[in-house]
Amino acid sequence: MTSKQRRSVILLVGLILLALLSLAFTRGLVDFPIYHISGRSLMQGRLNIYAPEFSGGPGMTYRYPPFFLIAFLPMSLLPYPVAAHVWYWLSVLMIGGIVRVVRGLLGSLKSRRPVWLVVFFAVAQYYVMQLRYGNAHLLIVFLMFASLYFAMRKKDWIAGLLMAFSISIKVTPILVLPYFAIKKRWNYLLAIALFLIPINLMPAGYFGFAKNSELLRTWFAHVLLDKDFHEVNGPINLSLKGQLRRYFTDIDYTQRVLGDTRYPSINIASLTTGQTDAIWAAVSAGAMFGTLLFLWWISNDKNRAGSNGPGVEKAGGAGGLPLDEPLQLGLMISLMLFIGPLSSKIYFTALLWPVAFLAMRVFAGEIRMPEFCRNALFAICVANVVLPLLPGRSLQRLFLVLGVDFYLNGLLLIALVLALISSRRALRSSIGAPQTQALSATRTS
């Protein structure tokens, strides 16, 4: 059997498996029904889109800006079973797009096979869960990755449009943008700002300008400011904010309105949520500032050496992009999940990017990486393969409240920092060696 035939067989088996999963997953989607009910409510003339009864009752409230609901309306025209299958296959295509974006940046570099094995074992569980939930976050990750792909290729306007769409659905990707400020990518940032305005004014064509403005204000207050109800009833928050609350405040899980209340309390102190949130805000601000300062320091030598200087291998084949740029963006993505106000388990689909480029650094072999980086990848793979298979809902709930994914992301953050430091050292050595040789030759002559 030729390699082409093997790929065809693998593709066919994969499609059959995905089709079988669609029959299982579309019967019990968790988040997609909220979008469908919301769209139907809107078509029935209801305009109070953030009221509990609009989308199915308490615990199922619509939490996105008006733009997403208007964009989703064509899907709401379909009967629910049909819409669920269409959404499932669109999600599969988005996963393919996410992989294609990262593959395009990895290019023709060697050792891609172990990279993709590491990626599969490290993040596959998040993508399976994403398909199971039918959440819109997969769309946000796809748009963000595609935007970063085009931004790295200096196609600022299409990159800005894609990022504006991503932020207009969920604001979390905005935490990646300070990276482009320290890189002085003002055209990209300007494009995002300019596209955000018309995108969020689009629903005014349906609601009217005054009503759309009112809905945007309600969304801002409902989702970004008054989050206590969702903090209690939403998914377990695996960011720093959620960790601090679970470890240092008394959380009464019996208040959850949908009946999922059997989470153990693990707090070791009884601070107020205001106190832990203040700690979160301070640590997050410090972490963002420290990361940006670190990335500026890392980039300083590279800028002096030139973007195509010695010691920096390229992504995307010959004449491609310095591999450190996607690795630096990987650090920002990991930080986004670490310090963001809410990082539920499905949000960790975004870790595909940092895991892929860290694995490339580890397995490419051009630069010696600390053993910690390889061990961190191994630990993430083992944890994300073994732990979800352990039986018992009580045990899985314990893993959630302990924040296993939070700690794995923290491990990845450290590994990314060490990998970038090693890259910098290798670059300085490669710059210094020719200078030393030239100086020696001058003295000899």
Side-chain angles (χ1 to χ4, degrees):
M1 184 181 292
T2 65
S3 59
K4 185 176 180 179
Q5 289 173 328
R6 284 197 297 271
R7 286 196 296 268
S8 298
V9 170
I10 292 171
L11 178 61
L12 179 60
V13 171
L15 288 174
I16 292 173
L17 178 60
L18 287 170
L20 293 174
L21 287 175
S22 74
L23 297 176
F25 287 168
T26 54
R27 293 178 181 177
L29 294 174
V30 177
D31 294 322
F32 179 77
I34 299 175
Y35 313 148
H36 195 265
I37 294 171
S38 298
R40 288 296 179 97
S41 295
L42 188 62
M43 290 188 295
Q44 292 169 6
R46 301 176 185 173
L47 297 179
N48 54 339
I49 67 176
Y50 299 110
E53 63 273 12
F54 182 82
S55 52
M60 297 181 65
T61 52
Y62 177 77
R63 296 184 57 80
Y64 297 98
F67 165 74
F68 177 71
L69 185 56
I70 297 298
F72 187 84
L73 273 181
M75 195 76 69
S76 299
L77 294 171
L78 300 173
Y80 178 80
V82 177
H85 280 282
V86 171
W87 185 257
Y88 172 86
W89 285 106
L90 285 175
S91 298
V92 170
L93 289 176
M94 283 186 279
I95 293 173
I98 288 169
V99 171
R100 181 66 185 87
V101 165
V102 174
R103 187 176 182 273
L105 291 174
L106 290 174
S108 59
L109 289 173
K110 299 177 182 179
S111 305
R112 283 200 312 191
R113 184 170 296 177
V115 169
W116 286 112
L117 283 174
V118 169
V119 167
F120 177 80
F121 290 121
V123 301
Q125 69 144 329
Y126 303 127
Y127 283 87
V128 172
M129 181 175 289
Q130 172 67 65
L131 291 175
R132 171 68 181 81
Y133 275 64
N135 190 275
H137 193 75
L138 193 61
L139 175 60
I140 289 122
V141 172
F142 169 68
L143 290 170
M144 180 177 67
F145 280 19
S147 175
L148 298 179
Y149 175 89
F150 286 111
M152 288 178 62
R153 280 164 168 70
K154 304 299 190 293
K155 297 181 179 180
D156 291 331
W157 290 99
I158 186 172
L161 177 63
L162 292 168
M163 184 61 80
F165 275 122
S166 181
I167 294 171
S168 295
I169 301 172
K170 192 171 290 184
V171 296
T172 309
I174 205 169
L175 293 174
V176 177
L177 300 187
Y179 171 83
F180 293 95
I182 66 169
K183 293 290 186 177
K184 299 180 180 179
R185 296 289 304 277
W186 308 122
N187 285 342
Y188 175 53
L189 296 174
L190 176 63
I192 295 170
L194 291 178
F195 282 124
L196 277 172
I197 297 171
I199 288 172
N200 286 282
L201 287 178
M202 281 181 187
Y206 185 95
F207 295 110
F209 183 81
K211 183 62 178 179
N212 184 59
S213 299
E214 177 192 331
L215 290 173
L216 285 171
R217 289 193 298 268
T218 305
W219 166 78
F220 184 82
H222 175 66
V223 176
L224 298 184
L225 297 181
D226 185 17
K227 296 184 290 186
D228 287 343
F229 180 84
H230 193 65
E231 291 280 358
V232 174
N233 292 280
I236 298 299
N237 187 358
L238 297 169
S239 74
L240 176 63
K241 182 180 181 181
Q243 288 295 102
L244 289 172
R245 285 197 174 193
R246 288 193 301 279
Y247 277 77
F248 299 107
T249 70
D250 295 306
I251 298 178
D252 184 6
Y253 294 106
T254 62
Q255 295 181 16
R256 294 171 69 91
V257 298
L258 294 180
D260 188 17
T261 61
R262 298 179 181 177
Y263 291 94
S265 295
I266 59 169
N267 58 302
I268 57 177
S270 297
L271 303 178
T272 66
T273 56
Q275 289 172 323
T276 58
D277 288 356
I279 296 171
W280 161 71
V283 173
S284 296
M288 175 62 77
F289 178 78
T291 300
L292 294 175
L293 186 64
F294 169 73
L295 290 174
W296 175 84
W297 173 68
I298 284 292
S299 303
N300 203 27
D301 285 339
K302 292 179 175 57
N303 290 333
R304 285 200 295 265
S307 61
N308 296 329
V312 183
E313 67 267 34
K314 307 298 191 307
L321 300 159
L323 187 58
D324 267 2
E325 188 172 1
L327 196 65
Q328 291 172 18
L329 284 168
L331 179 61
M332 292 300 299
I333 291 170
S334 185
L335 180 69
M336 173 189 76
L337 296 169
F338 192 86
I339 67 173
L342 173 64
S343 294
S344 69
K345 198 174 179 75
I346 57 174
Y347 286 26
F348 288 87
T349 49
L351 288 184
L352 188 150
W353 181 297
V355 166
F357 290 103
L358 178 61
M360 175 56 71
R361 273 296 190 206
V362 168
F363 292 106
E366 284 86 354
I367 297 176
R368 182 178 176 83
M369 289 286 108
E371 195 63 26
F372 181 91
C373 296
R374 183 184 296 268
N375 292 339
L377 288 173
F378 179 74
I380 293 168
C381 290
V382 170
N384 282 339
V385 170
V386 174
L387 297 186
L389 299 178
L390 296 178
R393 286 190 176 183
S394 297
L395 186 60
Q396 295 300 326
R397 286 188 175 98
L398 177 61
F399 291 152
L400 272 175
V401 296
L402 287 175
V404 172
D405 302 277
F406 169 83
Y407 293 115
L408 293 177
N409 184 37
L411 196 65
L412 180 62
L413 271 171
I414 298 171
L416 289 165
V417 169
L418 293 177
L420 286 166
I421 291 173
S422 296
S423 174
R424 180 180 184 273
R425 288 173 178 169
L427 178 62
R428 288 176 65 87
S429 298
S430 65
I431 295 172
Q435 293 175 342
T436 302
Q437 292 171 2
L439 181 61
S440 177
T442 302
R443 289 174 177 174
T444 301
S445 62

